[in-house]
């Protein structure tokens, strides 16, 4: 789909999105003066609530970052008991690295429980934003009281949870009478903070918790876990999946996977496409490495290499930098592996550029690839809706063994530096 | 030392440098048309020769990159046999990933052997520059014939081996009648290429090969191995150390280390300071992590985090991003370690900003640190000589155990993107 304006994109979402049954969406906003920065004046915060009717199960995957935020801690505490079905999400303050974080998260979740008459242990409070600031709990509790239903449901929620995202991200799928819809935010920065990925997937299938957990982890591994914008996982990354049985349809694991996979894949790709200052989405596929972790490491190393990223930004099909990044990931000092470097073939956008130990890149192919990169470039100044542009596929093939792994990354532009430098003169 | 012009800096080096006995330096240049880019016109290349009188021993540390260049392969072949004492170094072409690389390196080294009447197995050919191009061996062989001694010795060599380095890097030390002098280049890019670090250390001590090897490895681990500009080690990184006994002074291992350490430390720091677009040198010290590799991993992760790097560029003392990078390096998914995250204290430039699980950064300290960062900023446009500016010290302390590790990194500026994007419109 191609859009010409933010309004057109939002209307499209509101009109077309297929809604899972038995979910309710609420949105509001508030202002507060951060206690840590009283001189900075008023800040504004959005609150969004996603609530399922009773009988839902929720599973989740959370960050591996050792300094995880209070919302992640609360989620880890409450998710195993199955019944979680109402989540309040705020932007602006991440609720990380404060002394009162866990209490603050409980307080906000309790306000949601009271307002929506949901048992407290079935609620969560999820946050994204500035690290080191306390949540303005009094204001948030007051805002939750009497919170109103949103007109455009999940589209409003997707918009409310944005930080520096340029457009709301919503994806859906319907099969066998079951509907799945997800919203996500990511790759957004607010000072002085870092990119955080949040995803909420709603589904109306009848499914046991264990089965949902198993399928969702597989899906996350193949979608959200294949993307990388900064190479850092944040203190607050979290993706949750709630299924409430409201469709009264049972599905097999395979069917469930076929529902969740396209939704999570679309959201993950949109997070990269909407990354800070992204002008190209780099898609690195690694083939022929039996050890899956090593295969992913190679792909991530290439996708995260600042030299590869700046070259792609500059529409430069720089084979030397790709080769160097692969070689560094396969560092001979600490990698004991059976990968045969001599077997490597590299293609960029389908053109073979390295084979049997040597470059295969003459001036003509180089010009073709530079032209391809130019045509694949997005304009980071065009905001408010996704742009159509092909990925930049880089395939690293070492042979036939093992499964292919894939990593989606973003290039490194002036705009990335500008957004993240927050230059203080 | 503070300089006002490139000429003043070069005169200072030529006047003050203490020269180890028994070394000779030669420099020339040539032009060639790259076979891979006939349309790009003539390119120019510098050649530098460093030669010791007979009886020298040379040891080296080379890249761990799996796709190492032909010069690295030749060095690994010849260094173990002890006698290496003459090296020809070229810039512009890296001699990596071509089918004839090793033969080309041998051909150029053989020309040096003939010209200087040194046994072939005592010579090396070392290269930095574009990956995937063949060395213009005929032109190089012709240029080596009759190569003339350089007037300013190692200063001319340091200048000849530069790629996008902004100034030549030379360091020296004299103790107990023994002199050690080193030259280095690094963090330089030429399209379509990557940063490569080369270092050549000359010493006139009498020392056995094994002892020199042992000491040099220790020194490299504490100097060149503590720096990181892009997070990638190149296909061509190499540091060599030659000692020829011309001082007729024997030194103990401790004395030798005391000679080599300051020379290598100065060169390593200058490589970072002169990194592409560097405006701040970030100095990350990790304390209280017993596992040395993990300690280094934490330091490197912080120094290489694009979010930390852009914040420092923006004079923003961003504690949240530092914390997030530390937490990511201590990823709870794959790190089985006894590091106690709760024990972490973070200081920036001596101010405590995180302690006992919470930020300690009020508006006043934040303004002080922003002011410090501004005062520590270098101007990447001022070229040709080093600028005086303090490092940005970040100390991550987990307690008292283990040895401190340190990593020196650079910030991430618009200028870095500009230099590396080579924008093709």
């Amino acid at each position: 789909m191609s859009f010409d304006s933010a309004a057109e994109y939002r209307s499209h979402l509101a009109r077309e999105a297929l809604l899972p049954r038995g979910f309710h969406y609420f949105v509001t906003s508030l202002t507060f003066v951060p206690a840590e920065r009283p001189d900075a004046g008023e800040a504004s915060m959005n609150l969004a609530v996603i609530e399922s009717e009773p009988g839902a199960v929720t599973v989740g995957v959370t960050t591996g970052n050792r300094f995880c935020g209070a919302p992640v801690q609360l989620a880890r505490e409450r998710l195993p008991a199955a019944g979680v079905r109402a989540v309040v999400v705020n932007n602006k303050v991440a609720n990380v690295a404060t002394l009162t974080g866990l209490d603050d998260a409980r307080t906000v979740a309790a306000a949601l429980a009271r307002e929506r008459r949901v048992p407290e242990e079935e609620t969560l409070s999820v946050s994204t934003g500035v690290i080191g600031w306390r949540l303005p709990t009094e204001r948030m509790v007051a805002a939750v009281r009497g919170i109103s239903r949103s007109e455009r449901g999940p589209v409003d929620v997707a918009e409310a949870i944005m930080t520096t995202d340029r457009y709301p991200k919503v994806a859906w799928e319907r099969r066998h009478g079951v509907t799945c819809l997800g919203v996500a935010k990511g790759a957004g920065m607010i000072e002085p903070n870092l990119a955080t990925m949040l995803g909420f997937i709603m589904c109306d299938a009848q499914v046991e918790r264990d089965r949902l957990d198993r399928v969702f982890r597989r899906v996350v591994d193949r979608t959200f876990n294949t993307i990388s914008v900064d190479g850092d996982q944040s203190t607050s990354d979290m993706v949750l999946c709630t299924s409430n049985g409201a469709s009264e349809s049972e599905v097999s694991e395979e069917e469930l996977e076929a529902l969740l996979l396209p939704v999570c894949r679309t959201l993950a790709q949109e997070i990269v496409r909407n990354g800070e200052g992204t002008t190209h989405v780099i898609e690195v596929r690694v083939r022929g490495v039996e050890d899956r972790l090593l295969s992913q490491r190679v792909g991530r190393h290439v996708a995260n290499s600042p030299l590869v990223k700046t070259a792609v930004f500059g529409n430069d099909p720089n084979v030397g930098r790709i080769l160097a990044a692969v070689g560094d990931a396969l560092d001979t000092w600490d990698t004991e592996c059976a990968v045969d470097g001599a077997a490597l073939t590299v293609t960029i956008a389908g053109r073979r550029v390295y084979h049997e130990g040597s470059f295969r890149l003459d001036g003509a192919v180089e010009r073709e690839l530079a032209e391809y990169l130019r045509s694949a470039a997005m304009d980071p100044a065009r905001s408010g809706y996704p742009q159509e542009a092909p990925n930049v596929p880089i395939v690293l093939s070492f042979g036939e063994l093992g499964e292919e792994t894939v990593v989606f990354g973003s290039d490194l532009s002036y705009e990335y530096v500008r957004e993240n430098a927050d230059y203080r003169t």
Side-chain angles (χ1 to χ4, degrees), chain A:
Chain A
M1 293 287 298
S2 149
F3 306 96
D4 291 323
S5 73
E8 187 191 328
Y9 171 60
R10 281 161 179 74
S11 309
H12 160 81
L13 293 181
R15 196 174 58 240
E16 303 293 333
L18 300 174
L19 304 184
R21 272 153 279 194
F23 285 92
H24 310 288
Y25 308 91
F26 308 80
V27 170
T28 189
S29 64
L30 57 90
T31 60
F32 67 103
V33 176
E36 296 78 3
R37 281 273 201 96
D39 50 322
E42 278 207 334
S44 73
M45 170 186 278
N46 295 329
L47 287 184
V49 169
I50 302 171
E51 180 197 334
S52 166
E53 286 168 12
V57 292
T58 298
V59 297
V61 176
T62 54
T63 183
N65 192 300
R66 187 162 293 245
F67 297 109
C68 66
V72 171
Q73 294 170 44
L74 188 65
R76 288 181 186 161
E77 186 184 306
R78 292 187 176 173
L79 283 178
V84 168
R85 64 182 178 93
V87 182
V88 51
V89 192
N90 70 274
N91 66 0
K92 195 65 189 177
V93 178
N95 194 12
V96 175
T98 76
L99 292 175
T100 58
L102 200 51
D103 284 344
D104 292 345
R106 283 187 212 284
T107 301
V108 173
L112 171 63
R114 277 193 305 277
E115 171 67 19
R116 298 298 311 156
R117 297 199 184 120
V118 173
E120 223 176 296
E121 64 274 17
E122 296 182 5
T123 62
L124 291 179
S125 163
V126 173
S127 304
T128 176
V130 181
I131 289 183
W133 287 8
R134 282 197 54 185
L135 283 182
T137 47
E138 277 182 40
R139 295 272 174 132
M140 292 172 76
V141 167
V144 165
R145 205 172 303 138
I147 193 170
S148 57
R149 248 170 234 253
S150 81
E151 263 176 51
R152 295 195 294 187
V155 182
D156 288 335
V157 169
E159 186 130 18
I161 65 176
M162 299 198 311
T163 49
T164 57
D165 302 66
R166 289 198 178 79
Y167 50 84
K169 285 165 273 292
V170 186
W172 56 87
E173 187 75 21
R174 179 172 286 168
R175 283 161 182 250
H176 316 294
V178 173
T179 309
C180 174
L181 178 143
V183 298
K185 60 94 31 186
M189 306 274 305
I190 30 178
E191 53 85 28
N193 187 29
L194 78 157
T196 280
M197 177 175 81
L198 295 180
F200 303 95
I201 318 297
M202 284 71 75
C203 183
D204 57 17
Q206 278 190 337
V207 56
E208 288 159 25
R209 189 184 182 288
D210 284 357
R211 177 174 275 190
L212 181 64
D213 192 48
R214 206 158 47 229
V215 172
F216 190 55
R217 280 176 195 281
R218 271 207 304 272
V219 168
V220 169
D221 196 47
R222 290 164 61 190
T223 56
F224 293 109
N225 280 347
T226 65
I227 64 175
S228 188
V229 173
D230 300 300
D232 279 358
Q233 59 186 335
S234 97
T235 53
S236 308
D237 293 332
M238 187 174 349
V239 258
L240 301 178
C241 180
T242 302
S243 199
N244 64 8
S247 70
E248 296 181 1
S249 302
E250 277 191 68
V251 285
S252 69
E253 284 201 21
E254 291 65 35
E255 288 165 343
L256 189 60
E257 191 162 332
L259 271 162
L260 295 178
L261 194 63
V263 171
C264 293
R265 184 184 286 140
T266 301
L267 293 174
Q269 298 238 3
E270 285 303 324
I271 285 174
V272 176
R273 190 164 292 274
N274 188 208
E276 285 148 354
T278 300
T279 73
H280 294 88
V281 174
I282 305 171
E283 176 183 332
V284 184
R285 295 183 177 273
V286 182
R287 294 177 184 154
V289 177
E290 265 192 290
D291 177 341
R292 190 173 161 78
L293 283 177
L294 181 63
S295 182
Q296 285 176 330
R297 170 175 157 170
V298 171
R300 279 183 186 276
H301 206 83
V302 172
N304 286 326
S305 159
L307 294 172
V308 172
K309 285 158 77 101
T310 45
V312 171
F313 168 61
N315 301 320
D316 174 11
N318 196 312
V319 184
R321 293 188 189 171
I322 294 169
L323 196 68
V326 175
D328 192 33
L330 296 175
D331 184 330
T332 51
W333 299 126
D334 64 14
T335 308
E336 298 278 344
C337 71
V339 175
D340 178 9
L344 176 64
T345 295
V346 181
T347 67
I348 303 177
R351 281 85 163 176
R352 201 165 72 170
V353 293
Y354 179 83
H355 186 56
E356 289 179 346
S358 160
F359 273 39
R360 309 285 162 151
L361 184 71
D362 60 22
V365 173
E366 200 167 356
R367 278 188 297 275
E368 258 177 64
L369 283 173
E371 178 52 41
Y372 177 85
L373 287 166
R374 270 193 297 277
S375 73
M378 293 177 287
D379 177 2
R382 269 168 63 191
S383 194
Y385 56 98
Q387 293 170 53
E388 268 195 308
N391 291 350
V392 178
I394 299 173
V395 178
L396 309 167
S397 177
F398 292 90
E400 303 298 323
L401 292 171
E403 230 187 301
E404 177 183 275
T405 62
V406 60
V407 177
F408 297 91
S410 57
D411 60 358
L412 176 52
S413 66
Y414 297 114
E415 183 64 14
Y416 178 89
V417 177
R418 195 191 65 72
E419 285 199 34
N420 288 302
D422 176 31
Y423 204 80
R424 300 188 182 197
T425 46

